[in-house]
Amino acid sequence: MGERERSVEEIIIERLSADNTPGPVANLLISALLGEEELDKALQSGPMAVHTASSEHGSAGSAEPVRSYLKSITVEGFRGIGPQITLPLSVGPGLTLVTGRNGSGKSSFAEAAEFALTGENRRWSGSGHSVERNGWRNLHQREATHIQVDMAEDGKHGTTTVRREWRQDGGLDEASSYVQASGAPRQPLSVLGWAKPLELYRPFLSYSELGALVRGKPSEMHDAMQAILGLDQLLDCERRLNNARKRTEGVSKVAGQELPALLVKLGSHQDERARAAERLLAARTWDLAALATLASGADAGTDELAGKLRQVTAITLPAVGIVEAAIGRYEAAIRHASALVGTRAADASRLAGLLSVALDHQREHAGQPCPVCGGRVLDQEWANNARREVTGLAAQAAEADAADAEQTAADRELAQLVPPKPSVLAADLGSEADPARASAAWDAWSPPGVSAAEFSAFTAAVEALKAQATEALRRRSEAWQPIAAALSVWTETARQSQQATAALRDIKKAVSWLRETGNQVRNARLAPFASTSARVWEMLRQESNVELGPITLAGAGPQRKVALDVTVDGVPGAALGVMSQGELHALGLALFLPRATAPGSPFGFIVIDDPVQSMDPAKVDGLARLLSDVAKSRQVVVFTHDDRLPAALRQLQLPATVWTVTRRERSELILKKTDDPVARYLDDARAMAKTEQLPERVRAVAVAGLCRSALEAACHDVVRARMLADGVRHDDVERALEAAQKLHDVMALALFGSTARGADVVGRLRALGGQAFVNVFRDVKSGVHDPVPGDLMQLARDTEKLARALRR
Amino acid sequence: MSASSVTPEELLDSADQLLTSSFAGSGNVWPQACALLTRLALELTLDQHWARNLPSAAECGMRQQLLLLPSYGGPEAALLAREAWLGLAGATHHHAYELAPTAAELRGWHTTVTRLTALLAP
């Protein structure tokens, strides 16, 4: 205690940095502490964004909650109680005992309080209590049934009422219930927000539960302790990490699990890309980038047939019009040339040559007869004519040459219009495209001896083949599409699987770190709790040969448990089997009390039903001391059928208020306050007053002292009741009482609520009960030092009157 | 005090012997015997204390003695006496149905009375 408890988060961050946990692992742990979402984020974002400062999350609310105390328990027609009866309780810390024989109905108060607040009763809800379940309604009071608990919140004015009531024929589960603060409307019980605290700090304990606390399921005890120590955060963290591990493990396997189906799809596909994908998938590590490219269909280079088909579709022939024009030009040239055949033009060149030779001959042999025909003399006149003739013939020869050249050009143009036959037409284009016709048509195309009609047929053959190729390509692409889609989906899955595999390593490290460190953190937090248990055990064990060593949380998963280090006569491990019932119950209390009185509890009260049963006498005074110790800071209400506990309290002079319950016929209960500190002091004072063996002076001093104690106790009652009702916090009330050491101050506090009003005390006392009260007050104050002569029995009686008047 | 008077220490020694070894003849009643010896040691201790401090108190009942003890012997002595008396009075009161005290309980009371005797020694 003392120093502020550090949050689980703080402890973990500290340990993480102390043992140099790798960043990603530390990151996962802290994210898991913060919550599910944070963990998911950390897992998705991958190994980065390391949390460093998260102090703003932890360290919340280590202040103690406002506590509620019981003001009264009212019961009608429930269990052993018939007509309505109210058990009044003094608000604030203190010990109240309710005693009564078995069957007096006292336990019904405890059950009613528990049932009112929790809606259940552990004693019945444990297995096999169907009889109890049916017998909840009082036999003698069947019409009206209700239970009501009035409470006061520490430091708050007013009363909070929790009530459950049943219709005449309603079942136990059919109660209507509400909570109502004074002056406020009725509200459902849930507004109290006690569901979790009731689980954590359950302030009710019954006899039957005592043993069960020790003998209950080890894992439940473990979890209960975890929760109470605020370690459920650790538990949540562990659970989140384990869930994440399972999820991630699943994700990391999906790619592998889906691979066979993908391979079947690929196998049934002809496409060369399918083969490529198979090769990539067979590799030891998947090349996801290559697979993604393949899936997108962008790279067709791998597919030979598709390449050929695509070549086919790329074939282009000139337009028919162009070929027609070329053919027309060619034919025109032919026609021109053939028109000159048989004309002089065709011979002009030759004749011009002949005449030129003849002219050369004539120049050397002028005037001689023609050597060819031997008739005509080749004279000057012939030469002149022949020269004219040669000039005309040359012009004619030029025309014939031009026609010749024109034909040659047209021939060449025609030959060049259609490219050479592509080699792909000789290849195998699969079942969907047959190049034979197109190939034959291409072969048959032999310009210049071609016609436009021939070209049209040629073009048709090629276009038909191209159409086939295009269609084949389209079909192939359509068939690949779903496989490409599947491949692309799988590739994404595989990417996530690979990422998950990487994350899984970190998660596993985080889990094992938490397992190792978690137990250290747990036991560090457990230490104060365990020491309370040890103290409780020490007080109860008396001279028992059972030693209770440190309590630890041990094990993990289904093996988790609270390890009680119990040794019997120094022999470890002998454990619970050899312990007596009484010892088991004492141990049960040792486990119950630290929980019920944990600092985080909003309950200022604990209600214990019959803890004394089967306890050795020596343990009973240990119990008396223990309960009175707890009662210093808690309102402790104990129900017991055994008078040993009240006797021990009285004998040890431990303050307690004792109520005795008796039961008349028809379940009518009678409550009587049989002991409280004031009554006890006055009893002692009267006993002392009658002890005539003692000297008068000694008796007078002793009686005055006891009467003073009685008045102080009465004043304390008054001060506590008033201040707490006024909304003063319990701690402040106790401080005020502690500061008022002298009876005069205490009286001023009781009468006026302030020690500063000391001067008005006597006046107020006179107003309350005349001079008699003033005298009692004076005699009690001074008589402790200077024996006041007089009737000591009268002093005790007057003191009792004053005490009663004060408390009224 | 005469030499023949029994002292609280003697009584406590005898009680201790009953606790640690079995006395011939003590048979089944040794726990009651032990409780009785311890109780007598307590009473004798108080008697001797009152003889020195408030002789008339020795004639009073134990209730009065316990009420007076805080003023005449201090709070710690008063508490020890109360504790021991609470146990011993019950154990030595003869109830036919009540079981004998256990060795552990007897040891506890014995220890308490031994401390008280030492505390109140002159």
Side-chain angles (χ1 to χ4, degrees), chain A residues 605-625:
Chain A
F605 58 90
I606 56 176
V607 176
I608 307 178
D609 192 10
D610 237 341
V612 195
Q613 282 192 36
S614 66
M615 230 176 230
D616 296 337
K619 287 202 181 67
V620 174
D621 41 289
L623 180 66
R625 263 188 288 262

Side-chain angles (χ1 to χ4, degrees), chain B residues 5-109:
Chain B
S5 295
V6 70
T7 64
E9 287 79 4
E10 272 181 78
L11 293 168
L12 287 170
D13 279 351
S14 305
D16 183 59
Q17 278 172 352
L18 276 174
L19 266 172
T20 50
S21 57
S22 59
F23 252 130
S26 64
N28 284 336
V29 296
W30 71 267
Q32 280 91 345
C34 178
L36 185 63
L37 288 175
T38 312
R39 176 182 167 162
L40 288 173
L42 169 65
E43 289 172 341
L44 190 55
T45 297
L46 288 175
D47 279 351
Q48 292 179 355
H49 179 70
W50 294 131
R52 289 189 299 273
N53 296 285
L54 183 67
S56 53
E59 291 158 43
C60 302
M62 188 55 87
R63 178 180 189 177
Q64 284 79 359
Q65 291 187 40
L66 291 174
L67 285 171
L68 290 166
L69 201 54
S71 307
Y72 292 86
E76 195 192 344
L79 196 66
L80 287 171
R82 275 192 182 279
E83 271 183 45
W85 181 250
L86 171 63
L88 290 168
T92 53
H93 223 254
H94 188 74
H95 289 305
Y97 51 85
E98 212 162 89
L99 294 173
T102 65
E105 288 169 335
L106 290 166
R107 176 55 71 196
W109 300 325

